[in-house]
Amino acid sequence: MDNLTPQDLFSPSKARQQRAQAADWAQIDSWLSYKYAGRTVPTFERNEETLKVLRELSSANERADEERMIMERVEREACKELEADEESRDPEDVKILEAVEAHLSTEGSDALRALASTAVALDTTSANPETLAHALIAHTSMSQTLANNIQHVRTLQRYLDKQHTLLRSQLNELQSNPAFSAPPSLQRQTTEQARQTKHLRTKIREYEDRLASLEYQQAKTAATPASKGVSSAEAIADMLEQQTSLSALRRRVERLEKEVDEFAGLPADREAARKEVGKLEIELDNVRRRRDALFEELVR
């Protein structure tokens, strides 16, 4: 609280931060005094980094103390259980066991220790050889299964690493090879072709209206009795010429529409169009590889 400035008095957040730091320093001072047990605590610079390190050290020390206490409690409980087990044994059984151990040969003593160690290692409740054999078979089967699973995981990991490297190289090729980039004039060509298509469609509608009007006038003239023999050759020639122009315009519009449809799925932005072309190239390569693989299987 001594570090509070007049400006901090008007800032609640800074005041709370200062109070929290003061409480942390008080806790650290108490912990250091306890650890040094009456000895003089060394002087050090009091800043945020030092406080952070001391807090972490204090927390680690507390966790270590708790773990040590747990270990000591477990050891005491284990000793009590062993003492209770020793006390609960029948004295006659103890005498018989001691007599057996005293009259065993070196090979017999080694065999007895090996049998006891195997039972403890396999965590079985009996030292019966048949029980130990079943437990050993189960542990061996489990070990082999785990080894096979580990080998499978390693093989899968190698395959994934290989595929990751391949995809990285393909991505680098797509990003650096000019062959996979869209031409700079793609957007301009698409815009120009769309404009021409719109213009030609307007012309077609205009010529269709004019053709319909001429057909209507021709039909009306042919239906008039006084003008049946007065058909204008110039009007018929003009109509045929316009019909020929209309057919040519239709063919041109269809050709332009086909060219525009090739770029219909591409975005207007050039960079986005390049990315789309790159994706299509990847799909094409995948289809080619699939085709080659099928062909190789057919050849085999």
Short mmCIF file of all heavy atoms in Angstrom, two decimals, residues 166-221:
data_model
loop_
_atom_site.label_atom_id
_atom_site.label_comp_id
_atom_site.label_asym_id
_atom_site.label_seq_id
_atom_site.Cartn_x
_atom_site.Cartn_y
_atom_site.Cartn_z
N LEU A 166 4.55 -34.83 -49.54
CA LEU A 166 4.09 -34.77 -50.93
C LEU A 166 3.14 -33.59 -51.14
O LEU A 166 3.24 -32.86 -52.14
CB LEU A 166 3.40 -36.08 -51.29
CG LEU A 166 2.82 -36.17 -52.72
CD1 LEU A 166 3.92 -36.02 -53.75
CD2 LEU A 166 2.08 -37.49 -52.90
N LEU A 167 2.22 -33.40 -50.22
CA LEU A 167 1.27 -32.28 -50.34
C LEU A 167 1.98 -30.94 -50.24
O LEU A 167 1.63 -29.98 -50.94
CB LEU A 167 0.20 -32.39 -49.26
CG LEU A 167 -0.80 -33.54 -49.42
CD1 LEU A 167 -1.73 -33.62 -48.22
CD2 LEU A 167 -1.60 -33.39 -50.70
N ARG A 168 3.00 -30.87 -49.39
CA ARG A 168 3.78 -29.64 -49.28
C ARG A 168 4.49 -29.32 -50.60
O ARG A 168 4.51 -28.17 -51.04
CB ARG A 168 4.80 -29.78 -48.15
CG ARG A 168 4.22 -29.63 -46.76
CD ARG A 168 3.85 -28.19 -46.49
NE ARG A 168 3.38 -28.01 -45.12
CZ ARG A 168 2.92 -26.87 -44.66
NH1 ARG A 168 2.85 -25.81 -45.46
NH2 ARG A 168 2.51 -26.77 -43.41
N SER A 169 5.06 -30.36 -51.22
CA SER A 169 5.75 -30.14 -52.49
C SER A 169 4.77 -29.74 -53.59
O SER A 169 5.05 -28.86 -54.41
CB SER A 169 6.51 -31.40 -52.90
OG SER A 169 5.62 -32.49 -53.08
N GLN A 170 3.59 -30.37 -53.61
CA GLN A 170 2.58 -30.00 -54.60
C GLN A 170 2.09 -28.58 -54.38
O GLN A 170 1.88 -27.83 -55.35
CB GLN A 170 1.41 -30.99 -54.53
CG GLN A 170 1.75 -32.38 -55.04
CD GLN A 170 0.56 -33.31 -54.95
OE1 GLN A 170 -0.48 -32.96 -54.40
NE2 GLN A 170 0.70 -34.51 -55.49
N LEU A 171 1.91 -28.21 -53.12
CA LEU A 171 1.48 -26.84 -52.83
C LEU A 171 2.54 -25.84 -53.26
O LEU A 171 2.22 -24.79 -53.84
CB LEU A 171 1.20 -26.70 -51.33
CG LEU A 171 0.77 -25.31 -50.85
CD1 LEU A 171 -0.52 -24.88 -51.53
CD2 LEU A 171 0.60 -25.29 -49.33
N ASN A 172 3.80 -26.15 -53.00
CA ASN A 172 4.89 -25.27 -53.43
C ASN A 172 4.93 -25.17 -54.95
O ASN A 172 5.16 -24.09 -55.51
CB ASN A 172 6.21 -25.80 -52.89
CG ASN A 172 7.35 -24.84 -53.15
OD1 ASN A 172 7.14 -23.64 -53.31
ND2 ASN A 172 8.57 -25.36 -53.18
N GLU A 173 4.69 -26.31 -55.63
CA GLU A 173 4.68 -26.30 -57.10
C GLU A 173 3.53 -25.44 -57.62
O GLU A 173 3.68 -24.67 -58.58
CB GLU A 173 4.54 -27.74 -57.60
CG GLU A 173 4.48 -27.88 -59.12
CD GLU A 173 5.81 -27.56 -59.80
OE1 GLU A 173 6.85 -27.51 -59.10
OE2 GLU A 173 5.80 -27.35 -61.03
N LEU A 174 2.37 -25.56 -56.99
CA LEU A 174 1.22 -24.77 -57.44
C LEU A 174 1.42 -23.28 -57.20
O LEU A 174 0.96 -22.45 -57.97
CB LEU A 174 -0.05 -25.24 -56.71
CG LEU A 174 -0.57 -26.63 -57.08
CD1 LEU A 174 -1.72 -27.01 -56.17
CD2 LEU A 174 -1.01 -26.68 -58.53
N GLN A 175 2.12 -22.95 -56.12
CA GLN A 175 2.33 -21.55 -55.81
C GLN A 175 3.46 -20.91 -56.61
O GLN A 175 3.45 -19.69 -56.83
CB GLN A 175 2.62 -21.40 -54.31
CG GLN A 175 1.42 -21.71 -53.43
CD GLN A 175 1.76 -21.63 -51.96
OE1 GLN A 175 2.93 -21.58 -51.58
NE2 GLN A 175 0.74 -21.62 -51.10
N SER A 176 4.44 -21.72 -57.03
CA SER A 176 5.61 -21.15 -57.69
C SER A 176 5.64 -21.36 -59.20
O SER A 176 6.29 -20.60 -59.92
CB SER A 176 6.89 -21.76 -57.08
OG SER A 176 6.89 -23.17 -57.23
N ASN A 177 4.95 -22.39 -59.69
CA ASN A 177 5.00 -22.68 -61.13
C ASN A 177 4.06 -21.74 -61.88
O ASN A 177 2.86 -21.69 -61.61
CB ASN A 177 4.59 -24.13 -61.39
CG ASN A 177 4.94 -24.57 -62.79
OD1 ASN A 177 5.23 -23.74 -63.66
ND2 ASN A 177 4.92 -25.87 -63.03
N PRO A 178 4.59 -20.99 -62.87
CA PRO A 178 3.72 -20.07 -63.63
C PRO A 178 2.66 -20.79 -64.44
O PRO A 178 1.66 -20.19 -64.84
CB PRO A 178 4.71 -19.31 -64.53
CG PRO A 178 6.05 -19.50 -63.89
CD PRO A 178 6.02 -20.84 -63.23
N ALA A 179 2.88 -22.10 -64.72
CA ALA A 179 1.91 -22.82 -65.55
C ALA A 179 0.56 -22.97 -64.86
O ALA A 179 -0.47 -23.13 -65.52
CB ALA A 179 2.46 -24.21 -65.90
N PHE A 180 0.55 -22.93 -63.52
CA PHE A 180 -0.70 -23.09 -62.78
C PHE A 180 -1.36 -21.75 -62.44
O PHE A 180 -2.36 -21.73 -61.73
CB PHE A 180 -0.45 -23.86 -61.49
CG PHE A 180 0.01 -25.27 -61.71
CD1 PHE A 180 1.34 -25.60 -61.48
CD2 PHE A 180 -0.85 -26.23 -62.17
CE1 PHE A 180 1.78 -26.89 -61.69
CE2 PHE A 180 -0.42 -27.53 -62.37
CZ PHE A 180 0.90 -27.86 -62.14
N SER A 181 -0.80 -20.67 -62.89
CA SER A 181 -1.38 -19.35 -62.61
C SER A 181 -2.26 -18.91 -63.78
O SER A 181 -1.98 -19.22 -64.94
CB SER A 181 -0.25 -18.32 -62.39
OG SER A 181 0.56 -18.22 -63.54
N ALA A 182 -3.32 -18.23 -63.45
CA ALA A 182 -4.24 -17.75 -64.48
C ALA A 182 -3.59 -16.61 -65.26
O ALA A 182 -2.78 -15.86 -64.72
CB ALA A 182 -5.54 -17.27 -63.84
N PRO A 183 -3.88 -16.50 -66.56
CA PRO A 183 -3.30 -15.41 -67.34
C PRO A 183 -3.74 -14.05 -66.81
O PRO A 183 -4.86 -13.90 -66.30
CB PRO A 183 -3.85 -15.66 -68.76
CG PRO A 183 -5.05 -16.50 -68.57
CD PRO A 183 -4.79 -17.34 -67.37
N PRO A 184 -2.90 -13.04 -66.94
CA PRO A 184 -3.26 -11.72 -66.40
C PRO A 184 -4.49 -11.11 -67.07
O PRO A 184 -5.20 -10.32 -66.46
CB PRO A 184 -2.00 -10.87 -66.67
CG PRO A 184 -0.89 -11.86 -66.85
CD PRO A 184 -1.51 -13.06 -67.46
N SER A 185 -4.71 -11.50 -68.32
CA SER A 185 -5.83 -10.90 -69.06
C SER A 185 -7.12 -11.68 -68.89
O SER A 185 -8.09 -11.43 -69.63
CB SER A 185 -5.47 -10.82 -70.54
OG SER A 185 -5.19 -12.12 -71.07
N LEU A 186 -7.16 -12.64 -67.96
CA LEU A 186 -8.36 -13.48 -67.82
C LEU A 186 -9.57 -12.65 -67.43
O LEU A 186 -10.65 -12.78 -68.04
CB LEU A 186 -8.10 -14.56 -66.77
CG LEU A 186 -9.29 -15.46 -66.45
CD1 LEU A 186 -9.74 -16.24 -67.67
CD2 LEU A 186 -8.95 -16.41 -65.31
N GLN A 187 -9.43 -11.79 -66.46
CA GLN A 187 -10.56 -10.98 -66.02
C GLN A 187 -11.03 -10.05 -67.12
O GLN A 187 -12.24 -9.89 -67.35
CB GLN A 187 -10.17 -10.19 -64.77
CG GLN A 187 -11.32 -9.37 -64.18
CD GLN A 187 -10.90 -8.67 -62.91
OE1 GLN A 187 -9.76 -8.78 -62.49
NE2 GLN A 187 -11.82 -7.95 -62.31
N ARG A 188 -10.07 -9.46 -67.84
CA ARG A 188 -10.45 -8.54 -68.92
C ARG A 188 -11.16 -9.30 -70.04
O ARG A 188 -12.16 -8.83 -70.60
CB ARG A 188 -9.20 -7.84 -69.46
CG ARG A 188 -9.50 -6.83 -70.58
CD ARG A 188 -8.21 -6.15 -71.03
NE ARG A 188 -7.21 -7.12 -71.44
CZ ARG A 188 -7.21 -7.69 -72.67
NH1 ARG A 188 -8.15 -7.40 -73.54
NH2 ARG A 188 -6.26 -8.56 -72.98
N GLN A 189 -10.65 -10.49 -70.41
CA GLN A 189 -11.29 -11.28 -71.45
C GLN A 189 -12.70 -11.71 -71.05
O GLN A 189 -13.63 -11.65 -71.87
CB GLN A 189 -10.44 -12.52 -71.75
CG GLN A 189 -9.11 -12.21 -72.43
CD GLN A 189 -8.29 -13.47 -72.65
OE1 GLN A 189 -8.69 -14.55 -72.25
NE2 GLN A 189 -7.13 -13.32 -73.27
N THR A 190 -12.85 -12.13 -69.80
CA THR A 190 -14.18 -12.53 -69.34
C THR A 190 -15.16 -11.37 -69.38
O THR A 190 -16.31 -11.52 -69.83
CB THR A 190 -14.08 -13.09 -67.91
OG1 THR A 190 -13.12 -14.15 -67.86
CG2 THR A 190 -15.42 -13.63 -67.44
N THR A 191 -14.71 -10.21 -68.92
CA THR A 191 -15.58 -9.03 -68.94
C THR A 191 -15.95 -8.64 -70.37
O THR A 191 -17.12 -8.32 -70.68
CB THR A 191 -14.88 -7.86 -68.24
OG1 THR A 191 -14.50 -8.25 -66.92
CG2 THR A 191 -15.80 -6.65 -68.16
N GLU A 192 -14.95 -8.70 -71.28
CA GLU A 192 -15.20 -8.33 -72.67
C GLU A 192 -16.16 -9.31 -73.34
O GLU A 192 -17.08 -8.91 -74.07
CB GLU A 192 -13.87 -8.29 -73.44
CG GLU A 192 -14.00 -7.89 -74.91
CD GLU A 192 -14.49 -6.47 -75.10
OE1 GLU A 192 -14.34 -5.66 -74.15
OE2 GLU A 192 -15.03 -6.16 -76.18
N GLN A 193 -15.98 -10.59 -73.11
CA GLN A 193 -16.87 -11.58 -73.71
C GLN A 193 -18.28 -11.48 -73.14
O GLN A 193 -19.27 -11.65 -73.88
CB GLN A 193 -16.31 -12.98 -73.49
CG GLN A 193 -15.04 -13.26 -74.30
CD GLN A 193 -14.49 -14.64 -74.04
OE1 GLN A 193 -14.98 -15.35 -73.18
NE2 GLN A 193 -13.46 -15.01 -74.80
N ALA A 194 -18.40 -11.21 -71.86
CA ALA A 194 -19.74 -11.02 -71.29
C ALA A 194 -20.42 -9.79 -71.88
O ALA A 194 -21.62 -9.81 -72.17
CB ALA A 194 -19.63 -10.89 -69.76
N ARG A 195 -19.63 -8.72 -72.10
CA ARG A 195 -20.20 -7.52 -72.71
C ARG A 195 -20.65 -7.79 -74.14
O ARG A 195 -21.74 -7.37 -74.57
CB ARG A 195 -19.17 -6.40 -72.69
CG ARG A 195 -19.71 -5.04 -73.16
CD ARG A 195 -18.60 -4.03 -73.27
NE ARG A 195 -17.63 -4.41 -74.28
CZ ARG A 195 -17.83 -4.23 -75.61
NH1 ARG A 195 -18.95 -3.67 -76.04
NH2 ARG A 195 -16.90 -4.61 -76.46
N GLN A 196 -19.81 -8.52 -74.91
CA GLN A 196 -20.19 -8.84 -76.30
C GLN A 196 -21.42 -9.73 -76.34
O GLN A 196 -22.30 -9.55 -77.19
CB GLN A 196 -19.02 -9.52 -77.00
CG GLN A 196 -17.83 -8.61 -77.25
CD GLN A 196 -16.69 -9.33 -77.96
OE1 GLN A 196 -16.82 -10.50 -78.31
NE2 GLN A 196 -15.59 -8.62 -78.17
N THR A 197 -21.49 -10.67 -75.42
CA THR A 197 -22.66 -11.56 -75.39
C THR A 197 -23.94 -10.77 -75.10
O THR A 197 -24.98 -10.98 -75.75
CB THR A 197 -22.46 -12.64 -74.32
OG1 THR A 197 -21.27 -13.37 -74.60
CG2 THR A 197 -23.63 -13.60 -74.29
N LYS A 198 -23.87 -9.86 -74.16
CA LYS A 198 -25.03 -9.04 -73.83
C LYS A 198 -25.43 -8.17 -75.03
O LYS A 198 -26.63 -8.04 -75.34
CB LYS A 198 -24.70 -8.17 -72.62
CG LYS A 198 -25.87 -7.31 -72.15
CD LYS A 198 -25.48 -6.52 -70.92
CE LYS A 198 -26.64 -5.66 -70.43
NZ LYS A 198 -26.27 -4.86 -69.23
N HIS A 199 -24.43 -7.60 -75.71
CA HIS A 199 -24.72 -6.76 -76.88
C HIS A 199 -25.35 -7.58 -78.00
O HIS A 199 -26.33 -7.15 -78.64
CB HIS A 199 -23.42 -6.11 -77.37
CG HIS A 199 -23.59 -5.31 -78.62
ND1 HIS A 199 -24.29 -4.11 -78.67
CD2 HIS A 199 -23.15 -5.54 -79.90
CE1 HIS A 199 -24.28 -3.64 -79.90
NE2 HIS A 199 -23.59 -4.49 -80.66
N LEU A 200 -24.81 -8.79 -78.24
CA LEU A 200 -25.36 -9.62 -79.32
C LEU A 200 -26.76 -10.12 -79.00
O LEU A 200 -27.59 -10.26 -79.90
CB LEU A 200 -24.42 -10.80 -79.58
CG LEU A 200 -23.06 -10.42 -80.21
CD1 LEU A 200 -22.17 -11.64 -80.30
CD2 LEU A 200 -23.25 -9.80 -81.59
N ARG A 201 -27.01 -10.41 -77.73
CA ARG A 201 -28.37 -10.82 -77.37
C ARG A 201 -29.36 -9.69 -77.64
O ARG A 201 -30.49 -9.93 -78.10
CB ARG A 201 -28.40 -11.22 -75.90
CG ARG A 201 -27.78 -12.59 -75.63
CD ARG A 201 -27.77 -12.89 -74.15
NE ARG A 201 -27.21 -14.22 -73.89
CZ ARG A 201 -26.95 -14.69 -72.69
NH1 ARG A 201 -27.18 -13.92 -71.62
NH2 ARG A 201 -26.45 -15.90 -72.54
N THR A 202 -28.95 -8.47 -77.34
CA THR A 202 -29.82 -7.33 -77.64
C THR A 202 -30.07 -7.21 -79.14
O THR A 202 -31.20 -6.96 -79.60
CB THR A 202 -29.18 -6.03 -77.11
OG1 THR A 202 -28.92 -6.18 -75.72
CG2 THR A 202 -30.12 -4.85 -77.32
N LYS A 203 -29.03 -7.39 -79.95
CA LYS A 203 -29.17 -7.34 -81.41
C LYS A 203 -30.09 -8.44 -81.91
O LYS A 203 -30.91 -8.22 -82.83
CB LYS A 203 -27.79 -7.47 -82.07
CG LYS A 203 -26.93 -6.22 -81.96
CD LYS A 203 -27.51 -5.10 -82.80
CE LYS A 203 -26.59 -3.88 -82.81
NZ LYS A 203 -27.17 -2.76 -83.60
N ILE A 204 -29.95 -9.64 -81.34
CA ILE A 204 -30.82 -10.74 -81.77
C ILE A 204 -32.27 -10.43 -81.51
O ILE A 204 -33.15 -10.66 -82.38
CB ILE A 204 -30.38 -12.04 -81.05
CG1 ILE A 204 -29.06 -12.54 -81.61
CG2 ILE A 204 -31.45 -13.12 -81.21
CD1 ILE A 204 -28.51 -13.75 -80.88
N ARG A 205 -32.56 -9.89 -80.32
CA ARG A 205 -33.95 -9.54 -80.02
C ARG A 205 -34.45 -8.46 -80.98
O ARG A 205 -35.60 -8.49 -81.44
CB ARG A 205 -34.06 -9.06 -78.57
CG ARG A 205 -33.95 -10.17 -77.54
CD ARG A 205 -34.40 -9.69 -76.18
NE ARG A 205 -33.52 -8.65 -75.66
CZ ARG A 205 -32.45 -8.89 -74.91
NH1 ARG A 205 -32.14 -10.13 -74.60
NH2 ARG A 205 -31.70 -7.90 -74.48
N GLU A 206 -33.56 -7.50 -81.33
CA GLU A 206 -33.96 -6.45 -82.26
C GLU A 206 -34.26 -7.02 -83.63
O GLU A 206 -35.30 -6.69 -84.26
CB GLU A 206 -32.84 -5.42 -82.35
CG GLU A 206 -33.14 -4.26 -83.29
CD GLU A 206 -31.98 -3.28 -83.39
OE1 GLU A 206 -31.03 -3.40 -82.57
OE2 GLU A 206 -32.03 -2.40 -84.26
N TYR A 207 -33.38 -7.91 -84.11
CA TYR A 207 -33.60 -8.51 -85.43
C TYR A 207 -34.81 -9.44 -85.44
O TYR A 207 -35.53 -9.55 -86.45
CB TYR A 207 -32.36 -9.25 -85.90
CG TYR A 207 -31.25 -8.34 -86.36
CD1 TYR A 207 -29.95 -8.47 -85.86
CD2 TYR A 207 -31.50 -7.32 -87.28
CE1 TYR A 207 -28.94 -7.64 -86.27
CE2 TYR A 207 -30.48 -6.47 -87.70
CZ TYR A 207 -29.20 -6.63 -87.19
OH TYR A 207 -28.21 -5.79 -87.60
N GLU A 208 -35.05 -10.12 -84.34
CA GLU A 208 -36.24 -10.97 -84.27
C GLU A 208 -37.50 -10.13 -84.34
O GLU A 208 -38.48 -10.52 -85.00
CB GLU A 208 -36.20 -11.80 -82.98
CG GLU A 208 -35.20 -12.93 -83.01
CD GLU A 208 -35.16 -13.70 -81.69
OE1 GLU A 208 -35.75 -13.17 -80.71
OE2 GLU A 208 -34.55 -14.78 -81.64
N ASP A 209 -37.50 -8.98 -83.65
CA ASP A 209 -38.66 -8.09 -83.74
C ASP A 209 -38.86 -7.57 -85.17
O ASP A 209 -40.01 -7.53 -85.67
CB ASP A 209 -38.49 -6.92 -82.77
CG ASP A 209 -38.51 -7.37 -81.32
OD1 ASP A 209 -39.04 -8.48 -81.06
OD2 ASP A 209 -37.98 -6.64 -80.46
N ARG A 210 -37.75 -7.20 -85.81
CA ARG A 210 -37.86 -6.71 -87.19
C ARG A 210 -38.33 -7.81 -88.13
O ARG A 210 -39.14 -7.57 -89.04
CB ARG A 210 -36.51 -6.16 -87.65
CG ARG A 210 -36.09 -4.90 -86.90
CD ARG A 210 -34.71 -4.43 -87.30
NE ARG A 210 -34.65 -4.09 -88.72
CZ ARG A 210 -33.55 -3.69 -89.35
NH1 ARG A 210 -32.40 -3.61 -88.66
NH2 ARG A 210 -33.58 -3.39 -90.63
N LEU A 211 -37.84 -9.04 -87.93
CA LEU A 211 -38.27 -10.16 -88.77
C LEU A 211 -39.75 -10.45 -88.57
O LEU A 211 -40.49 -10.70 -89.54
CB LEU A 211 -37.43 -11.39 -88.44
CG LEU A 211 -37.77 -12.66 -89.22
CD1 LEU A 211 -37.58 -12.45 -90.72
CD2 LEU A 211 -36.91 -13.83 -88.74
N ALA A 212 -40.18 -10.41 -87.31
CA ALA A 212 -41.60 -10.66 -87.05
C ALA A 212 -42.46 -9.57 -87.69
O ALA A 212 -43.54 -9.85 -88.23
CB ALA A 212 -41.85 -10.72 -85.54
N SER A 213 -41.96 -8.33 -87.63
CA SER A 213 -42.72 -7.24 -88.26
C SER A 213 -42.80 -7.42 -89.77
O SER A 213 -43.86 -7.24 -90.38
CB SER A 213 -42.06 -5.90 -87.91
OG SER A 213 -42.72 -4.83 -88.57
N LEU A 214 -41.67 -7.82 -90.39
CA LEU A 214 -41.69 -8.05 -91.84
C LEU A 214 -42.60 -9.21 -92.22
O LEU A 214 -43.33 -9.14 -93.23
CB LEU A 214 -40.26 -8.31 -92.33
CG LEU A 214 -39.31 -7.11 -92.31
CD1 LEU A 214 -37.90 -7.54 -92.64
CD2 LEU A 214 -39.78 -6.03 -93.27
N GLU A 215 -42.55 -10.28 -91.43
CA GLU A 215 -43.43 -11.42 -91.73
C GLU A 215 -44.90 -11.02 -91.60
O GLU A 215 -45.75 -11.44 -92.40
CB GLU A 215 -43.10 -12.57 -90.77
CG GLU A 215 -41.77 -13.23 -91.06
CD GLU A 215 -41.44 -14.32 -90.07
OE1 GLU A 215 -42.19 -14.41 -89.06
OE2 GLU A 215 -40.45 -15.06 -90.26
N TYR A 216 -45.17 -10.18 -90.58
CA TYR A 216 -46.56 -9.72 -90.42
C TYR A 216 -46.99 -8.86 -91.60
O TYR A 216 -48.09 -9.02 -92.14
CB TYR A 216 -46.69 -8.95 -89.11
CG TYR A 216 -48.05 -8.33 -88.91
CD1 TYR A 216 -49.15 -9.11 -88.55
CD2 TYR A 216 -48.24 -6.95 -89.09
CE1 TYR A 216 -50.39 -8.53 -88.38
CE2 TYR A 216 -49.47 -6.37 -88.90
CZ TYR A 216 -50.55 -7.17 -88.55
OH TYR A 216 -51.80 -6.60 -88.39
N GLN A 217 -46.11 -7.94 -92.03
CA GLN A 217 -46.44 -7.09 -93.18
C GLN A 217 -46.60 -7.91 -94.45
O GLN A 217 -47.49 -7.66 -95.26
CB GLN A 217 -45.35 -6.03 -93.36
CG GLN A 217 -45.31 -4.98 -92.26
CD GLN A 217 -44.23 -3.96 -92.47
OE1 GLN A 217 -43.50 -4.03 -93.47
NE2 GLN A 217 -44.09 -3.02 -91.52
N GLN A 218 -45.73 -8.92 -94.64
CA GLN A 218 -45.82 -9.76 -95.83
C GLN A 218 -47.13 -10.55 -95.83
O GLN A 218 -47.80 -10.68 -96.86
CB GLN A 218 -44.64 -10.71 -95.88
CG GLN A 218 -44.62 -11.58 -97.13
CD GLN A 218 -43.44 -12.53 -97.15
OE1 GLN A 218 -42.71 -12.60 -96.16
NE2 GLN A 218 -43.27 -13.24 -98.24
N ALA A 219 -47.48 -11.09 -94.66
CA ALA A 219 -48.73 -11.83 -94.58
C ALA A 219 -49.93 -10.93 -94.84
O ALA A 219 -50.89 -11.32 -95.50
CB ALA A 219 -48.85 -12.50 -93.22
N LYS A 220 -49.83 -9.69 -94.32
CA LYS A 220 -50.94 -8.76 -94.53
C LYS A 220 -51.05 -8.36 -95.99
O LYS A 220 -52.15 -8.25 -96.55
CB LYS A 220 -50.71 -7.52 -93.65
CG LYS A 220 -51.86 -6.52 -93.69
CD LYS A 220 -51.58 -5.37 -92.74
CE LYS A 220 -52.72 -4.35 -92.79
NZ LYS A 220 -52.50 -3.20 -91.87
N THR A 221 -49.90 -8.15 -96.65
CA THR A 221 -49.91 -7.79 -98.08
C THR A 221 -50.42 -8.93 -98.92
O THR A 221 -51.18 -8.74 -99.89
CB THR A 221 -48.49 -7.39 -98.52
OG1 THR A 221 -48.02 -6.34 -97.70
CG2 THR A 221 -48.48 -6.96 -99.97
#
